[in-house]
Amino acid sequence: MTRASDNAAPSRAAGVVRSVRGSVVDISFDHGLPAIGNLLETGRDGRIRIEVLEQLDARRVRGIALTATQGLARGMPVTDTGGPLTAPVGRGTLGRMFDVFGAAIDRGPAPGDVTWRSIHRRPPPLAYRSTHTEIFETGIKVIDVLAPLERGGKTGLFGGAGVGKTVLLTEMIHNMVGRHEGVSLFCGIGERCREGEELWRDMRDAGVLDDTVMIFGQMNEPPGARARVGHAALTMAEYFRDEEHRDVLLLIDNIFRFIQAGAEVSGMIGQMPSRLGYQPTMGTELSGLEERIASTHSGAITSIQAVYVPADDFTDPAAVHTFSHLSASIVLSRKRAGEGLFPAVDPLQSSSTMAVPGIVGERHYQIAQEVRRTLAQYGELKDIIAMLGLEQLAAADRAIVARARRLERFLTQPFFTTSHFTGSAGRLVSREAALDGCRRILDDEFMDYPESALYMIGEIDEARLGTPERAA
């Protein structure tokens, strides 16, 4: 196990702590001022680690602590490591869980067969980026039909607690490993330690842990660590894309907490806040992370990011800056989850820039538009049905309601990762099979079948296994 910084044999300048204000530490050096981004070590056995943010003058630097600063005092010696924070990369990271420093936190031994790389890396040059636009199939019907993802693109997943967000992320990891022979990487930014432990157990029980890397900057860690864990995750993902030429599925939860950590750091070092108290460098910081998520000629990093919208205000600067980087938005609905329609994706609120005829094809585009139109008309008729009853609708409107309800149930799907809870085997449905099912429902081929025959099935022909009931 080697570190890139060890190979360069950097000089290790010595300094002294001059002031400590929370996580902000000022340090003076008589010789060899550290570069911005360098990692400094102090405290007992170098356990307190600080990243240089500013060079105040010829002898002083200001840094942000990546660890807790309890016990740190003025006059303590500080050592410059001579390089930036590094992350482990290689096959030895598969199936393991790490913190922002690359230390294993799953109670296992230190990973072998890894090298160490700086977490601060530039995005791939334009000359190396792939200009080929390709659909990233998830095997999940409602997503592939109505909000198809882009291979090498970025998707925002909007959902609160209890609507199936973690289950949906885990299922995508399962489908990526089993179908695309790729690597999945889960990055928890500001995650609760309970959620991380539960996700690790779920992935282990689902059998997808061996092709998964997990890295966490937990909620109780300093903002400096939470602001850097995303960069560490991307360094790991870039290795599998560039060195092993494998597709990578990168799941980030939650991208808002990355912005929030940056705002905390900005406030502590005394920068003037911008609108609504966010850091003035928010756009630059977010772009530095998002632009590294790209498709090249050697592989692709496809990202699905959970996004929290403060107070449901989509004009909030954090939401606006995040939206500008996304190619698809998937909205989870608590109402649909309450109705048992899983995955609880809202088909009308979710959207994708890939859903145009020139990319998905004319047939896919027309079917998706007709599905949306049918579901939207059903939504408009719900108030009338609630007041007057279904029998008071015209025959054409009753037919729309019947199609929409069958579409809603067909777009549900049993998951592999929940099969041990539900007792139902998971289904992986191709995009063509999902489109074929929607088309046949819209053509009233299954009008004589009960709605329940279409609930929690895979391909549409599974509905024929039940006994069709004649409509009255």
Side-chain angles (χ1 to χ4, degrees):
M1 186 168 62
T2 60
R3 290 180 182 263
S5 56
D6 292 341
N7 298 333
S11 60
R12 299 173 68 87
V16 177
V17 174
R18 292 305 179 194
S19 68
V20 182
R21 301 185 306 279
S23 293
V24 179
V25 184
D26 287 355
I27 305 155
S28 65
F29 289 82
D30 292 332
H31 306 285
L33 200 66
I36 290 177
N38 271 19
L39 187 66
L40 312 179
E41 294 178 347
T42 185
R44 184 178 179 182
D45 299 327
R47 293 180 181 178
I48 299 177
R49 299 179 182 180
I50 302 165
E51 183 179 281
V52 177
L53 292 184
E54 298 176 343
Q55 293 180 342
L56 301 177
D57 53 40
R59 291 191 176 183
R60 291 188 305 140
V61 298
R62 176 165 293 165
I64 187 75
L66 306 183
T67 57
T69 56
Q70 282 86 350
L72 188 63
R74 286 183 292 179
M76 276 190 172
V78 180
T79 302
D80 177 17
T81 63
L85 180 64
T86 58
V89 300
R91 288 181 174 270
T93 61
L94 292 173
R96 304 300 303 274
M97 182 188 295
F98 300 92
D99 62 13
V100 68
F101 302 105
I105 56 174
D106 54 6
R107 297 182 181 177
D113 190 26
V114 297
T115 56
W116 296 76
R117 293 183 179 176
S118 168
I119 68 167
H120 300 290
R121 300 171 63 86
R122 300 182 68 85
L126 290 178
Y128 291 95
R129 295 190 181 227
S130 174
T131 57
H132 178 65
T133 302
E134 184 179 343
I135 295 293
F136 177 83
E137 288 195 24
T138 64
I140 300 172
K141 292 179 287 189
V142 64
I143 294 176
D144 289 342
V145 171
L146 298 177
L149 309 190
E150 179 186 3
R151 179 177 177 268
K154 295 174 276 287
T155 300
L157 178 60
F158 302 83
V163 295
K165 176 179 62 178
T166 300
V167 172
L168 186 58
L169 293 180
T170 310
E171 183 72 5
M172 288 183 177
I173 291 177
H174 179 280
N175 295 352
M176 174 74 172
V177 172
R179 195 175 187 186
H180 297 271
E181 298 182 356
V183 175
S184 300
L185 200 152
F186 187 93
C187 174
I189 304 177
E191 276 288 282
R192 301 170 184 87
C193 59
R194 169 186 58 81
E195 293 176 346
E197 192 271 339
E198 289 176 353
L199 184 63
W200 183 87
R201 280 193 288 106
D202 291 342
M203 290 183 178
R204 181 198 60 190
D205 296 341
V208 302
L209 192 60
D210 289 343
D211 287 288
T212 303
V213 183
M214 303 177 70
I215 180 169
F216 288 93
Q218 294 175 187
M219 182 176 286
N220 63 320
E221 295 186 27
R226 287 182 272 125
R228 291 294 177 256
V229 68
H231 297 280
L234 271 168
T235 299
M236 295 178 172
E238 287 166 345
Y239 165 83
F240 291 106
R241 180 193 67 189
D242 300 334
E243 304 297 330
E244 298 203 3
H245 309 294
R246 300 176 70 179
D247 284 355
V248 181
L249 178 62
L250 174 64
L251 302 117
I252 301 177
D253 185 13
N254 187 301
I255 201 66
F256 173 78
R257 293 175 188 152
F258 168 78
I259 297 175
Q260 194 174 42
E264 292 182 43
V265 172
S266 175
M268 285 190 294
I269 64 176
Q271 289 182 336
M272 182 70 69
S274 63
R275 182 169 165 253
L276 298 185
Y278 287 104
Q279 64 271 37
T281 56
M282 178 173 62
T284 302
E285 292 174 3
L286 186 61
S287 297
L289 183 75
E290 297 282 4
E291 286 302 301
R292 290 173 63 179
I293 304 172
S295 175
T296 67
H297 299 298
S298 58
I301 300 177
T302 304
S303 175
I304 301 174
Q305 310 168 11
V307 183
Y308 168 71
V309 180
D312 295 329
D313 179 13
F314 285 86
T315 64
D316 187 272
V320 171
H321 281 271
T322 304
F323 276 128
S324 64
H325 294 280
L326 301 178
S327 57
S329 300
I330 299 173
V331 180
L332 296 181
S333 165
R334 191 173 301 279
K335 181 179 179 183
R336 291 178 66 84
E339 295 172 354
L341 300 175
F342 293 103
V345 176
D346 190 324
L348 299 180
Q349 295 295 321
S350 303
S351 62
S352 171
T353 58
M354 304 294 286
V356 294
I359 297 176
V360 299
E362 188 65 34
R363 176 174 176 269
H364 183 157
Y365 176 76
Q366 293 298 336
I367 292 174
Q369 289 295 96
E370 194 168 346
V371 168
R372 289 181 183 275
R373 185 161 53 248
T374 302
L375 294 175
Q377 290 172 333
Y378 174 46
E380 294 172 356
L381 292 170
K382 282 184 177 179
D383 289 341
I384 299 176
I385 296 171
M387 290 186 294
L388 303 178
L390 182 63
E391 297 77 11
Q392 300 301 316
L393 295 179
D397 288 339
R398 287 203 300 271
I400 289 173
V401 172
R403 292 188 202 107
R405 291 181 62 83
R406 283 163 175 78
L407 283 170
E408 283 185 335
R409 280 144 186 80
F410 174 66
L411 292 177
T412 63
Q413 187 170 339
F415 282 175
F416 291 95
T417 51
T418 58
S419 59
H420 53 292
F421 295 119
T422 63
S424 300
R427 301 289 194 278
L428 187 69
V429 183
S430 67
R431 181 164 61 107
E432 280 304 315
L435 289 170
D436 178 65
C438 292
R439 179 72 271 167
R440 291 164 70 181
I441 292 174
L442 291 169
D443 291 340
D444 294 337
E445 183 176 332
F446 291 85
M447 194 63 75
D448 294 341
Y449 285 71
E451 296 172 0
S452 58
L454 297 166
Y455 179 69
M456 284 295 172
I457 63 173
E459 298 185 6
I460 191 68
D461 287 332
E462 292 183 28
R464 296 188 182 279
L465 298 177
T467 302
E469 298 177 1
R470 281 285 170 189

PDB file of all heavy atoms in Angstrom, residues 212-234:
ATOM      1  N   THR A 212     -19.417  -2.817  -4.503  1.00  0.00           N
ATOM      2  CA  THR A 212     -19.827  -1.499  -4.010  1.00  0.00           C
ATOM      3  C   THR A 212     -18.750  -0.928  -3.102  1.00  0.00           C
ATOM      4  O   THR A 212     -18.135  -1.651  -2.318  1.00  0.00           O
ATOM      5  CB  THR A 212     -21.155  -1.608  -3.236  1.00  0.00           C
ATOM      6  OG1 THR A 212     -22.150  -2.180  -4.079  1.00  0.00           O
ATOM      7  CG2 THR A 212     -21.623  -0.233  -2.776  1.00  0.00           C
ATOM      8  N   VAL A 213     -18.520   0.366  -3.223  1.00  0.00           N
ATOM      9  CA  VAL A 213     -17.649   1.102  -2.308  1.00  0.00           C
ATOM     10  C   VAL A 213     -18.512   2.131  -1.590  1.00  0.00           C
ATOM     11  O   VAL A 213     -19.330   2.804  -2.215  1.00  0.00           O
ATOM     12  CB  VAL A 213     -16.497   1.807  -3.056  1.00  0.00           C
ATOM     13  CG1 VAL A 213     -15.568   2.501  -2.070  1.00  0.00           C
ATOM     14  CG2 VAL A 213     -15.731   0.824  -3.919  1.00  0.00           C
ATOM     15  N   MET A 214     -18.328   2.260  -0.282  1.00  0.00           N
ATOM     16  CA  MET A 214     -19.108   3.227   0.488  1.00  0.00           C
ATOM     17  C   MET A 214     -18.155   4.154   1.228  1.00  0.00           C
ATOM     18  O   MET A 214     -17.153   3.710   1.796  1.00  0.00           O
ATOM     19  CB  MET A 214     -20.026   2.511   1.479  1.00  0.00           C
ATOM     20  CG  MET A 214     -20.976   1.512   0.833  1.00  0.00           C
ATOM     21  SD  MET A 214     -21.994   0.624   2.034  1.00  0.00           S
ATOM     22  CE  MET A 214     -23.058   1.946   2.588  1.00  0.00           C
ATOM     23  N   ILE A 215     -18.467   5.439   1.205  1.00  0.00           N
ATOM     24  CA  ILE A 215     -17.645   6.434   1.902  1.00  0.00           C
ATOM     25  C   ILE A 215     -18.584   7.439   2.554  1.00  0.00           C
ATOM     26  O   ILE A 215     -19.553   7.893   1.944  1.00  0.00           O
ATOM     27  CB  ILE A 215     -16.649   7.126   0.946  1.00  0.00           C
ATOM     28  CG1 ILE A 215     -15.808   8.153   1.698  1.00  0.00           C
ATOM     29  CG2 ILE A 215     -17.340   7.738  -0.263  1.00  0.00           C
ATOM     30  CD1 ILE A 215     -14.630   8.675   0.883  1.00  0.00           C
ATOM     31  N   PHE A 216     -18.295   7.756   3.816  1.00  0.00           N
ATOM     32  CA  PHE A 216     -19.201   8.597   4.597  1.00  0.00           C
ATOM     33  C   PHE A 216     -18.468   9.734   5.278  1.00  0.00           C
ATOM     34  O   PHE A 216     -17.370   9.555   5.818  1.00  0.00           O
ATOM     35  CB  PHE A 216     -19.908   7.760   5.679  1.00  0.00           C
ATOM     36  CG  PHE A 216     -20.947   6.824   5.149  1.00  0.00           C
ATOM     37  CD1 PHE A 216     -20.624   5.515   4.837  1.00  0.00           C
ATOM     38  CD2 PHE A 216     -22.246   7.249   4.947  1.00  0.00           C
ATOM     39  CE1 PHE A 216     -21.573   4.644   4.344  1.00  0.00           C
ATOM     40  CE2 PHE A 216     -23.209   6.390   4.453  1.00  0.00           C
ATOM     41  CZ  PHE A 216     -22.865   5.088   4.151  1.00  0.00           C
ATOM     42  N   GLY A 217     -19.091  10.910   5.232  1.00  0.00           N
ATOM     43  CA  GLY A 217     -18.737  12.026   6.096  1.00  0.00           C
ATOM     44  C   GLY A 217     -19.956  12.269   6.956  1.00  0.00           C
ATOM     45  O   GLY A 217     -20.921  12.900   6.510  1.00  0.00           O
ATOM     46  N   GLN A 218     -19.968  11.733   8.161  1.00  0.00           N
ATOM     47  CA  GLN A 218     -21.177  11.667   8.964  1.00  0.00           C
ATOM     48  C   GLN A 218     -21.624  13.041   9.448  1.00  0.00           C
ATOM     49  O   GLN A 218     -20.869  14.007   9.449  1.00  0.00           O
ATOM     50  CB  GLN A 218     -20.962  10.721  10.146  1.00  0.00           C
ATOM     51  CG  GLN A 218     -20.775   9.271   9.737  1.00  0.00           C
ATOM     52  CD  GLN A 218     -20.447   8.360  10.899  1.00  0.00           C
ATOM     53  OE1 GLN A 218     -20.152   7.203  10.719  1.00  0.00           O
ATOM     54  NE2 GLN A 218     -20.473   8.890  12.122  1.00  0.00           N
ATOM     55  N   MET A 219     -22.860  13.082   9.894  1.00  0.00           N
ATOM     56  CA  MET A 219     -23.485  14.333  10.302  1.00  0.00           C
ATOM     57  C   MET A 219     -22.762  14.996  11.468  1.00  0.00           C
ATOM     58  O   MET A 219     -22.734  16.226  11.565  1.00  0.00           O
ATOM     59  CB  MET A 219     -24.947  14.054  10.654  1.00  0.00           C
ATOM     60  CG  MET A 219     -25.752  15.266  11.051  1.00  0.00           C
ATOM     61  SD  MET A 219     -27.475  14.852  11.331  1.00  0.00           S
ATOM     62  CE  MET A 219     -28.056  14.616   9.663  1.00  0.00           C
ATOM     63  N   ASN A 220     -22.159  14.178  12.341  1.00  0.00           N
ATOM     64  CA  ASN A 220     -21.517  14.746  13.523  1.00  0.00           C
ATOM     65  C   ASN A 220     -20.078  15.177  13.262  1.00  0.00           C
ATOM     66  O   ASN A 220     -19.417  15.676  14.157  1.00  0.00           O
ATOM     67  CB  ASN A 220     -21.519  13.723  14.662  1.00  0.00           C
ATOM     68  CG  ASN A 220     -20.706  12.483  14.323  1.00  0.00           C
ATOM     69  OD1 ASN A 220     -20.761  12.000  13.196  1.00  0.00           O
ATOM     70  ND2 ASN A 220     -19.972  11.962  15.288  1.00  0.00           N
ATOM     71  N   GLU A 221     -19.575  14.999  12.053  1.00  0.00           N
ATOM     72  CA  GLU A 221     -18.207  15.379  11.736  1.00  0.00           C
ATOM     73  C   GLU A 221     -18.122  16.871  11.406  1.00  0.00           C
ATOM     74  O   GLU A 221     -19.124  17.486  11.009  1.00  0.00           O
ATOM     75  CB  GLU A 221     -17.679  14.530  10.590  1.00  0.00           C
ATOM     76  CG  GLU A 221     -17.559  13.048  10.950  1.00  0.00           C
ATOM     77  CD  GLU A 221     -16.887  12.245   9.848  1.00  0.00           C
ATOM     78  OE1 GLU A 221     -16.098  12.830   9.087  1.00  0.00           O
ATOM     79  OE2 GLU A 221     -17.164  11.043   9.755  1.00  0.00           O
ATOM     80  N   PRO A 222     -16.937  17.463  11.530  1.00  0.00           N
ATOM     81  CA  PRO A 222     -16.792  18.894  11.234  1.00  0.00           C
ATOM     82  C   PRO A 222     -17.161  19.215   9.782  1.00  0.00           C
ATOM     83  O   PRO A 222     -17.089  18.344   8.911  1.00  0.00           O
ATOM     84  CB  PRO A 222     -15.305  19.154  11.501  1.00  0.00           C
ATOM     85  CG  PRO A 222     -14.880  18.065  12.423  1.00  0.00           C
ATOM     86  CD  PRO A 222     -15.690  16.874  12.035  1.00  0.00           C
ATOM     87  N   PRO A 223     -17.543  20.450   9.505  1.00  0.00           N
ATOM     88  CA  PRO A 223     -17.929  20.811   8.134  1.00  0.00           C
ATOM     89  C   PRO A 223     -16.802  20.620   7.118  1.00  0.00           C
ATOM     90  O   PRO A 223     -17.061  20.363   5.947  1.00  0.00           O
ATOM     91  CB  PRO A 223     -18.352  22.273   8.247  1.00  0.00           C
ATOM     92  CG  PRO A 223     -17.718  22.761   9.515  1.00  0.00           C
ATOM     93  CD  PRO A 223     -17.678  21.581  10.421  1.00  0.00           C
ATOM     94  N   GLY A 224     -15.547  20.753   7.571  1.00  0.00           N
ATOM     95  CA  GLY A 224     -14.437  20.544   6.645  1.00  0.00           C
ATOM     96  C   GLY A 224     -14.435  19.141   6.077  1.00  0.00           C
ATOM     97  O   GLY A 224     -14.167  18.929   4.887  1.00  0.00           O
ATOM     98  N   ALA A 225     -14.726  18.136   6.911  1.00  0.00           N
ATOM     99  CA  ALA A 225     -14.767  16.752   6.449  1.00  0.00           C
ATOM    100  C   ALA A 225     -15.957  16.531   5.530  1.00  0.00           C
ATOM    101  O   ALA A 225     -15.848  15.850   4.500  1.00  0.00           O
ATOM    102  CB  ALA A 225     -14.832  15.805   7.648  1.00  0.00           C
ATOM    103  N   ARG A 226     -17.109  17.100   5.876  1.00  0.00           N
ATOM    104  CA  ARG A 226     -18.296  16.932   5.035  1.00  0.00           C
ATOM    105  C   ARG A 226     -18.137  17.625   3.681  1.00  0.00           C
ATOM    106  O   ARG A 226     -18.722  17.199   2.690  1.00  0.00           O
ATOM    107  CB  ARG A 226     -19.521  17.484   5.764  1.00  0.00           C
ATOM    108  CG  ARG A 226     -19.978  16.591   6.906  1.00  0.00           C
ATOM    109  CD  ARG A 226     -21.215  17.129   7.579  1.00  0.00           C
ATOM    110  NE  ARG A 226     -20.891  18.065   8.655  1.00  0.00           N
ATOM    111  CZ  ARG A 226     -21.355  19.289   8.751  1.00  0.00           C
ATOM    112  NH1 ARG A 226     -22.142  19.774   7.806  1.00  0.00           N
ATOM    113  NH2 ARG A 226     -21.032  20.050   9.764  1.00  0.00           N
ATOM    114  N   ALA A 227     -17.347  18.683   3.645  1.00  0.00           N
ATOM    115  CA  ALA A 227     -17.135  19.393   2.381  1.00  0.00           C
ATOM    116  C   ALA A 227     -16.134  18.688   1.474  1.00  0.00           C
ATOM    117  O   ALA A 227     -16.021  19.040   0.295  1.00  0.00           O
ATOM    118  CB  ALA A 227     -16.648  20.818   2.660  1.00  0.00           C
ATOM    119  N   ARG A 228     -15.390  17.711   2.007  1.00  0.00           N
ATOM    120  CA  ARG A 228     -14.356  17.033   1.216  1.00  0.00           C
ATOM    121  C   ARG A 228     -14.688  15.588   0.889  1.00  0.00           C
ATOM    122  O   ARG A 228     -14.049  14.990   0.033  1.00  0.00           O
ATOM    123  CB  ARG A 228     -13.023  17.079   1.963  1.00  0.00           C
ATOM    124  CG  ARG A 228     -12.415  18.468   2.050  1.00  0.00           C
ATOM    125  CD  ARG A 228     -12.015  18.978   0.680  1.00  0.00           C
ATOM    126  NE  ARG A 228     -11.501  20.348   0.726  1.00  0.00           N
ATOM    127  CZ  ARG A 228     -12.201  21.402   0.333  1.00  0.00           C
ATOM    128  NH1 ARG A 228     -13.452  21.243  -0.117  1.00  0.00           N
ATOM    129  NH2 ARG A 228     -11.676  22.614   0.383  1.00  0.00           N
ATOM    130  N   VAL A 229     -15.684  15.008   1.533  1.00  0.00           N
ATOM    131  CA  VAL A 229     -15.968  13.590   1.308  1.00  0.00           C
ATOM    132  C   VAL A 229     -16.477  13.338  -0.112  1.00  0.00           C
ATOM    133  O   VAL A 229     -16.208  12.284  -0.702  1.00  0.00           O
ATOM    134  CB  VAL A 229     -16.974  13.073   2.369  1.00  0.00           C
ATOM    135  CG1 VAL A 229     -18.354  13.700   2.179  1.00  0.00           C
ATOM    136  CG2 VAL A 229     -17.054  11.558   2.329  1.00  0.00           C
ATOM    137  N   GLY A 230     -17.180  14.306  -0.694  1.00  0.00           N
ATOM    138  CA  GLY A 230     -17.628  14.144  -2.075  1.00  0.00           C
ATOM    139  C   GLY A 230     -16.469  14.078  -3.047  1.00  0.00           C
ATOM    140  O   GLY A 230     -16.473  13.287  -4.000  1.00  0.00           O
ATOM    141  N   HIS A 231     -15.434  14.892  -2.823  1.00  0.00           N
ATOM    142  CA  HIS A 231     -14.255  14.863  -3.685  1.00  0.00           C
ATOM    143  C   HIS A 231     -13.497  13.541  -3.531  1.00  0.00           C
ATOM    144  O   HIS A 231     -12.973  13.003  -4.509  1.00  0.00           O
ATOM    145  CB  HIS A 231     -13.338  16.036  -3.336  1.00  0.00           C
ATOM    146  CG  HIS A 231     -13.952  17.384  -3.584  1.00  0.00           C
ATOM    147  ND1 HIS A 231     -14.015  17.943  -4.838  1.00  0.00           N
ATOM    148  CD2 HIS A 231     -14.544  18.267  -2.752  1.00  0.00           C
ATOM    149  CE1 HIS A 231     -14.605  19.118  -4.764  1.00  0.00           C
ATOM    150  NE2 HIS A 231     -14.940  19.340  -3.502  1.00  0.00           N
ATOM    151  N   ALA A 232     -13.445  13.030  -2.303  1.00  0.00           N
ATOM    152  CA  ALA A 232     -12.797  11.741  -2.091  1.00  0.00           C
ATOM    153  C   ALA A 232     -13.536  10.628  -2.827  1.00  0.00           C
ATOM    154  O   ALA A 232     -12.915   9.738  -3.434  1.00  0.00           O
ATOM    155  CB  ALA A 232     -12.714  11.436  -0.591  1.00  0.00           C
ATOM    156  N   ALA A 233     -14.866  10.660  -2.795  1.00  0.00           N
ATOM    157  CA  ALA A 233     -15.659   9.651  -3.504  1.00  0.00           C
ATOM    158  C   ALA A 233     -15.419   9.718  -5.003  1.00  0.00           C
ATOM    159  O   ALA A 233     -15.308   8.685  -5.679  1.00  0.00           O
ATOM    160  CB  ALA A 233     -17.140   9.842  -3.177  1.00  0.00           C
ATOM    161  N   LEU A 234     -15.330  10.929  -5.544  1.00  0.00           N
ATOM    162  CA  LEU A 234     -15.110  11.072  -6.984  1.00  0.00           C
ATOM    163  C   LEU A 234     -13.723  10.581  -7.385  1.00  0.00           C
ATOM    164  O   LEU A 234     -13.547  10.024  -8.475  1.00  0.00           O
ATOM    165  CB  LEU A 234     -15.301  12.529  -7.394  1.00  0.00           C
ATOM    166  CG  LEU A 234     -16.737  12.883  -7.770  1.00  0.00           C
ATOM    167  CD1 LEU A 234     -16.917  14.381  -7.892  1.00  0.00           C
ATOM    168  CD2 LEU A 234     -17.123  12.201  -9.076  1.00  0.00           C
TER     169      LEU A 234
END
